[in-house]
Amino acid sequence: MSVPPTPSAPRLVLASASPARARILEAAGIGFTVVVSEVDEDAVTEAHPLAGPAELALLLAHAKAEDVAARPEAAGALVLGCDSVFELDGAAYGKPYEPAVARERWRLQSGRTGQLHTGHSLIDASHHGTAGTGGTGGTGAGRSGTTPGPDGGNAPSATALATASVTFADVTEAEIAAYVGSGEPLQCAGAFTIDGRGAAFVSAVHGDPNAVIGLSVSTLRSLLRQLGWSVTDLWDSYK
Amino acid sequence: MSVPPTPSAPRLVLASASPARARILEAAGIGFTVVVSEVDEDAVTEAHPLAGPAELALLLAHAKAEDVAARPEAAGALVLGCDSVFELDGAAYGKPYEPAVARERWRLQSGRTGQLHTGHSLIDASHHGTAGTGGTGGTGAGRSGTTPGPDGGNAPSATALATASVTFADVTEAEIAAYVGSGEPLQCAGAFTIDGRGAAFVSAVHGDPNAVIGLSVSTLRSLLRQLGWSVTDLWDSYK
């Protein structure tokens, strides 16, 4: 029962401007290009007033992927959208932006455990299921025929949530002041990261640590499998 | 009860040739230089036949730190030694080096959970406790007087183990072949990493993910505190 030969690898488009997500893909040997979505995140959030933090991460990830998949630049590509939301005591926290907000958050989360939810949405506009190069095992691959084009709405897709719990160290006021002063937490969901200065203040993660940074590669592997691909198809030098 | 003012920050010497450990410190904003130890790891291991994987990681980390702290290049510095050992079913696994060994390990660990132990040893030859710049709260700081020099044996030190459990995805033979073919796992304790291609095949970590990569910054923060320093003292631009 050998694996059927895969057609030549499609290109991956990352629908995110996040440098941290790009670094994860680069380190994981996965080639990609970036096309930033123009999704109005506040509008999506307001349109789903009953969505919890986890559902919100999934909704926003899928909205980003759909937005980019509909563009000409993404024709024939796999499009990955991701969105991260931090949850503490049931409330959703995005990026703090302001130093005063970041300080307040750290006073709240010091010594405690929250959940980092990263939603992943993968849309396959590569049409590889109809290319006549072998079976794929994908779910619905090739449904939209052989015409490549901006048809994110019809292309097969898969979504998944990766949630990791994050336990913070007991931090001092001086540490909070220094960390906020560094500027790092202002642009991070949850006001921290584990791949920067914030690593000093996170004592444990339970889950995929790359989900905490913003993109779970093991989740991407699962989504690729659902659509008939192997993650190794996307590796830079192992196509 | 305010924190006493710290003297000017000492320099940190990393007693490890590991590029992954260096990347963690760089990302965490911590300035350092590298001085590679000449510890004979096999000799240390053979000298402690009853040591389990966790104890071995600590012994090797301390041996590396002591070796480097005794050198003139480390005079007046904080010296950090680290060593990582992977444990599965009670057995210790280091780097596989050979493709055939790496393949065998992956067939064994696919779908299972092991422990990554990283030992940390911090030796403080900075003598800041006697510099007359204020109290430090350190344990035994300054014991060896004001003469800076290669005295790793007398300088205050602290050690700690950071253990994280690692759960592997169920991987296929094709994925194992591609991963081993990439060369990445050959030089990694446990034949994997979570900050590279291996991220696709690790579904979860329980513990500090940076301990899995080779250096837990939160553990370094704790060791620094034991010796009277704050991790923020070592931050590049926030001294």
Side-chain angles (χ1 to χ4, degrees):
Chain A
M1 301 300 283
S2 64
V3 177
T6 52
S8 64
R11 63 196 181 87
L12 179 70
V13 170
L14 175 63
S16 168
S18 155
R21 292 193 180 107
R23 280 196 300 271
I24 289 173
L25 287 178
E26 279 160 17
I30 295 171
F32 65 98
T33 52
V34 170
V35 179
V36 180
S37 80
E38 286 170 5
V39 168
D40 180 341
E41 299 194 22
D42 290 340
V44 173
T45 303
E46 283 162 25
H48 298 86
L50 300 178
E55 195 183 349
L56 205 56
L58 267 179
L59 283 168
L60 287 166
H62 194 59
K64 291 178 188 179
E66 278 198 316
D67 179 81
V68 168
R71 310 243 201 117
E73 310 98 281
L78 285 162
V79 179
L80 176 65
C82 297
D83 191 80
S84 298
V85 176
F86 183 66
E87 174 178 0
L88 190 69
D89 297 331
Y93 294 94
K95 301 173 182 176
Y97 299 111
E98 297 296 328
V101 176
R103 276 193 296 274
E104 212 44 57
R105 298 256 190 101
W106 269 97
R107 286 175 191 141
L108 193 67
Q109 68 201 28
S110 171
R112 306 191 53 214
T113 297
Q115 281 74 44
L116 200 303
H117 304 287
T118 294
H120 301 71
S121 176
L122 187 65
I123 297 179
D124 186 353
S126 72
H127 308 281
H128 67 286
T130 60
T133 49
T136 64
T139 53
R143 193 191 311 161
S144 51
T146 55
T147 311
D151 59 352
N154 298 317
S157 67
T159 59
L161 184 73
T163 293
S165 73
V166 177
T167 301
F168 300 101
D170 280 306
V171 295
T172 65
E173 269 296 313
E175 286 173 324
I176 292 174
Y179 188 44
V180 173
S182 78
E184 180 182 282
L186 305 185
Q187 301 297 326
C188 300
F192 74 98
T193 180
I194 58 170
D195 65 335
R197 294 180 201 269
F201 310 125
V202 174
S203 50
V205 166
H206 285 206
D208 186 335
N210 285 312
V212 179
I213 303 174
L215 194 167
S216 160
V217 187
S218 65
T219 299
L220 173 60
R221 169 180 175 265
S222 299
L223 295 178
L224 286 164
R225 284 162 71 100
Q226 288 179 48
L227 299 179
W229 297 102
S230 164
V231 66
T232 62
D233 294 336
L234 299 187
W235 281 0
D236 281 334
S237 319
Y238 296 87
K239 290 176 179 173
Chain B
M1 302 302 281
S2 66
V3 177
T6 52
S8 64
R11 61 197 183 90
L12 180 70
V13 170
L14 176 63
S16 168
S18 155
R21 292 194 180 105
R23 279 196 298 271
I24 290 172
L25 287 179
E26 279 160 18
I30 295 172
F32 65 99
T33 53
V34 169
V35 179
V36 180
S37 82
E38 286 169 5
V39 168
D40 181 342
E41 299 194 23
D42 291 339
V44 173
T45 304
E46 282 161 25
H48 298 85
L50 300 178
E55 196 183 348
L56 206 56
L58 267 180
L59 283 168
L60 287 165
H62 194 59
K64 291 178 186 178
E66 278 199 317
D67 179 81
V68 168
R71 311 246 198 111
E73 308 99 281
L78 284 163
V79 179
L80 176 65
C82 297
D83 190 80
S84 299
V85 176
F86 182 66
E87 175 178 0
L88 190 68
D89 296 331
Y93 294 94
K95 301 172 183 176
Y97 298 113
E98 298 295 329
V101 176
R103 276 193 296 274
E104 212 44 56
R105 299 257 191 99
W106 267 97
R107 286 173 192 143
L108 193 67
Q109 69 202 27
S110 171
R112 305 192 52 215
T113 297
Q115 281 73 44
L116 201 303
H117 303 287
T118 293
H120 300 71
S121 176
L122 187 66
I123 297 178
D124 185 353
S126 72
H127 307 279
H128 67 285
T130 61
T133 51
T136 65
T139 53
R143 195 190 311 160
S144 51
T146 54
T147 312
D151 59 351
N154 298 318
S157 68
T159 60
L161 184 73
T163 293
S165 73
V166 178
T167 301
F168 300 102
D170 280 306
V171 294
T172 66
E173 269 297 314
E175 285 173 324
I176 292 175
Y179 187 44
V180 172
S182 78
E184 180 182 281
L186 306 185
Q187 302 296 325
C188 300
F192 75 97
T193 181
I194 58 171
D195 64 335
R197 293 179 200 269
F201 310 127
V202 173
S203 50
V205 165
H206 286 206
D208 186 337
N210 285 310
V212 178
I213 303 175
L215 193 168
S216 159
V217 186
S218 64
T219 299
L220 172 59
R221 168 180 175 266
S222 298
L223 295 178
L224 286 164
R225 284 163 70 100
Q226 287 178 48
L227 298 177
W229 296 102
S230 164
V231 66
T232 62
D233 293 335
L234 300 186
W235 281 359
D236 280 336
S237 318
Y238 297 88
K239 290 174 180 174

